[in-house]
């Protein structure tokens, strides 16, 4: 016999979840600092803004969320509460339009980069990688850039009655109110007067090697951590622009007259490269160093970034991929190849041995094959 529904009801206890929702809707937990090898600018021993408190060494780096929905259960984000909450400075942006968003080139319209398309609307920020303008620039705010992993700093400079604005890639630890300067056009006269007319390299470095300052490589002391490194004289920065990347000035080759025009710089990959001494570099490490530790949490966030799914070759038809077709999970008894038929397994090398980069002093360490590993063990 069915019982009436009101007889089955139990007295309700007071619920605290609604009180929690009204009080706090954002992250409820953080992860401790797990990587002791994160590079900071502390070895420099200088700060471009003395009133700014240094960052805590054991501060939490990732923000987690209470799993109220499946999409936030595995979501982890770097803690960047200092970022500007409003829109970008519109005069330094333009709309991101064109068929390149879908991975197609501008000539034939064919897909040249796979797994691209759609995504959220963006505006591209015009970033100053040259840093030619001398004088002091004030940091107005630190902003998020959807087109890159590092953060941007909006700089302002007052010239007469006008204020000029520009974007640069912000170093780690930079905050609003700091002042940065560019020395690409040389040492200013007021600094020479402060030094008593001397041109000692150590005294110049002590006055110029502050976080966020842009200098030629010949003015940077060996052992200094830099980012936004140029490759050609007179051009802008091309290396170490991504989040958390940096390079180290190794030596200046002062004793060798043939190599005196170049400075040896060690990149984060371990490669030591010769770069012209007049190329630019910025003191510090590129900001947002915990970007690589983030977790998107769901597939939809990947689509918001404009990244489409990747399909395995064995799941395709024979007309779409060399591994396609057949019954079951069979790739036709062929060696693993790409969609264009290029071998992709066992470290197949595609670079021509005769084209050696003469500017690489020490190449980056690479993985060894079985024969090379056995030969090295036999020699040792």
């Amino acid at each position: 016999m069915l019982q009436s529904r009101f007889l089955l009801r139990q007295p309700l206890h007071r619920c605290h979840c609604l009180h929690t929702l009204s009080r706090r809707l954002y992250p409820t937990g953080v992860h401790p600092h797990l990587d002791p090898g994160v590079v900071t600018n502390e070895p420099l021993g200088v700060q471009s803004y003395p009133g700014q408190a240094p960052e805590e060494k054991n501060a939490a780096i990732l923000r987690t969320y209470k799993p109220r929905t499946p999409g936030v259960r595995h979501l982890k984000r770097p803690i960047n509460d200092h970022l500007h909450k409003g829109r970008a400075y519109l005069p330094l942006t333009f709309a991101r339009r064109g068929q390149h968003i879908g991975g197609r080139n501008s000539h034939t319209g064919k897909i040249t980069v796979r797994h691209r398309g759609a995504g959220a609307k963006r505006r591209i920020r015009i970033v100053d990688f040259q840093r030619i303008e001398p004088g002091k620039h004030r940091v107005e705010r630190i902003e998020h850039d959807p087109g890159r992993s590092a953060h941007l700093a909006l700089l302002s400079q007052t010239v007469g009655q006008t204020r000029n604005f520009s974007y640069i890639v912000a170093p780690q630890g930079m905050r609003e109110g700091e002042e940065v300067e560019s020395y690409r056009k040389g040492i200013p006269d007021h600094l020479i007067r402060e030094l008593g007319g001397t041109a000692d390299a150590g005294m110049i470095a002590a006055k110029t090697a502050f976080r966020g300052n842009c200098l030629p490589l010949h003015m940077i002391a060996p052992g200094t951590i830099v980012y936004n490194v140029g490759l050609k004289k007179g051009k802008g920065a091309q290396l170490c622009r991504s989040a958390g990347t940096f390079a180290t000035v190794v030596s200046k080759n002062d004793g060798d007259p043939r190599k005196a025009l170049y400075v040896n710089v060690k990149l984060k990959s371990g490669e030591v490269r010769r770069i012209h001494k007049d190329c630019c570099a910025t003191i510090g490490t590129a900001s947002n160093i915990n970007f690589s530790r983030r977790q998107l949490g769901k597939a939809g966030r990947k689509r918001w970034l404009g990244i489409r799914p990747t399909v395995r070759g064995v799941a395709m038809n024979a007309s779409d991929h060399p591994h396609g077709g057949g019954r079951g999970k069979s790739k036709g008894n062929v060696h693993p190849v790409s969609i264009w038929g290029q071998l992709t397994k066992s470290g197949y090398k595609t670079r021509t041995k005769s084209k050696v980069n003469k500017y690489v002093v020490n190449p980056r360490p690479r993985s060894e094959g079985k024969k090379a590993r056995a030969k090295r063990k036999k020699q040792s």
Side-chain angles (χ1 to χ4, degrees):
M1 182 177 177
L2 296 177
Q3 298 180 1
S4 57
R5 185 169 295 181
F6 66 88
L7 294 178
L8 299 177
R9 291 179 179 176
Q10 299 295 329
L12 295 176
H13 299 284
R14 184 178 179 182
C15 180
H16 298 278
C17 59
L18 295 177
H19 179 64
T20 306
L21 283 172
S22 62
R23 181 179 57 185
R24 188 169 189 172
L25 282 173
Y26 56 103
T28 55
V30 291
H31 282 271
H33 199 295
L34 300 177
D35 190 357
V38 174
V39 177
T40 62
N41 298 333
E42 294 176 2
L44 296 177
V46 293
Q47 287 186 356
S48 58
Y49 188 68
Q52 180 68 40
E55 298 179 354
E56 298 181 8
K57 293 184 179 181
N58 298 324
I61 58 175
L62 292 179
R63 176 169 286 162
T64 59
Y65 296 79
K66 192 168 186 177
R68 292 192 174 92
T69 60
V72 298
R73 179 177 294 276
H74 301 288
L75 177 62
K76 296 178 183 178
R77 289 171 171 169
I79 300 176
N80 294 314
D81 295 333
H82 63 284
L83 295 182
H84 177 61
K85 303 300 188 297
R87 299 187 66 183
Y89 184 65
L90 290 182
L92 292 178
T93 64
F94 61 93
R96 180 173 176 263
R97 297 192 182 98
Q99 60 186 12
H100 67 279
I101 298 176
R104 301 178 184 272
N105 61 10
S106 59
H107 305 294
T108 61
K110 294 184 178 179
I111 293 179
T112 55
V113 181
R114 302 168 67 208
H115 317 131
R116 297 285 182 89
K121 292 173 63 177
R122 299 179 184 176
R123 294 188 67 86
I124 296 177
R125 276 69 169 172
I126 302 174
V127 183
D128 182 17
F129 290 110
Q130 296 272 358
R131 302 285 300 274
I132 295 294
E133 290 297 325
K136 292 187 177 181
H137 294 69
R138 185 180 185 276
V139 179
E140 297 293 333
R141 62 199 186 203
I142 308 296
E143 296 183 9
H144 165 72
D145 186 2
R148 69 185 72 248
S149 56
H151 298 151
L152 296 183
L154 181 64
L155 305 183
S156 67
Q157 184 184 27
T158 303
V159 181
Q161 299 295 330
T162 62
R163 294 181 68 192
N164 301 325
F165 293 91
S166 61
Y167 276 125
I168 65 167
V169 177
Q172 180 68 18
M174 175 175 279
R175 294 295 184 268
E176 177 185 348
E178 299 187 17
E179 288 184 348
V180 295
E181 195 168 353
S182 175
Y183 298 94
R184 291 200 66 179
K185 287 189 175 180
I187 305 173
D189 296 335
H190 68 86
L191 183 58
I192 296 178
R193 290 193 297 269
E194 288 182 11
L195 298 177
T198 61
D200 183 64
M203 296 178 65
I204 293 175
K207 290 288 185 178
T208 59
F210 295 108
R211 177 179 56 199
N213 286 358
C214 182
L215 299 91
L217 282 173
H218 66 84
M219 289 180 58
I220 301 176
T224 306
I225 296 174
V226 295
Y227 74 104
N228 272 11
V229 183
L231 276 179
K232 295 182 179 180
K233 181 177 65 172
K235 292 191 67 175
Q238 295 178 264
L239 300 177
C240 302
R241 307 193 320 192
S242 182
T245 55
F246 62 92
T248 307
V249 179
V250 178
S251 61
K252 295 187 178 182
N253 302 321
D254 293 332
D256 193 345
R258 295 178 300 175
K259 301 179 181 179
L261 289 176
Y262 299 96
V263 176
N264 290 348
V265 177
K266 184 178 181 181
L267 305 179
K268 194 174 182 181
S269 62
E271 175 182 302
V272 179
R273 192 183 185 95
R274 265 204 317 262
I275 302 177
H276 198 278
K277 66 176 184 178
D278 291 332
C279 292
C280 63
T282 306
I283 306 297
T285 305
S287 55
N288 200 13
I289 58 176
N290 299 314
F291 176 81
S292 60
R293 296 184 175 90
R294 67 170 185 166
Q295 292 183 14
L296 297 180
K298 63 178 183 179
R301 283 194 180 85
K302 206 77 169 178
R303 301 303 299 266
W304 298 344
L305 297 175
I307 303 174
R308 300 183 68 245
T310 302
V311 181
R312 296 169 297 125
V314 293
M316 298 183 186
N317 297 325
S319 60
D320 297 326
H321 199 280
H323 296 170
R327 297 184 178 180
K329 299 180 179 180
S330 172
K331 65 177 185 294
N333 196 23
V334 295
H335 291 292
V337 294
S338 67
I339 193 172
W340 302 281
Q342 186 87 355
L343 291 173
T344 58
K345 195 178 180 182
S346 301
Y348 180 75
K349 295 179 176 55
T350 58
R351 295 193 178 186
T352 307
K353 291 185 178 181
S354 59
K355 294 183 179 179
V356 180
N357 193 343
K358 63 179 181 180
Y359 295 104
V360 176
V361 179
N362 295 327
R364 63 182 176 88
R366 303 174 184 268
S367 58
E368 296 180 340
K370 293 182 179 179
K371 292 183 179 180
R373 195 180 301 113
K375 183 178 180 180
R376 183 170 55 83
K377 287 185 178 180
K378 187 176 180 180
Q379 291 177 353
S380 60

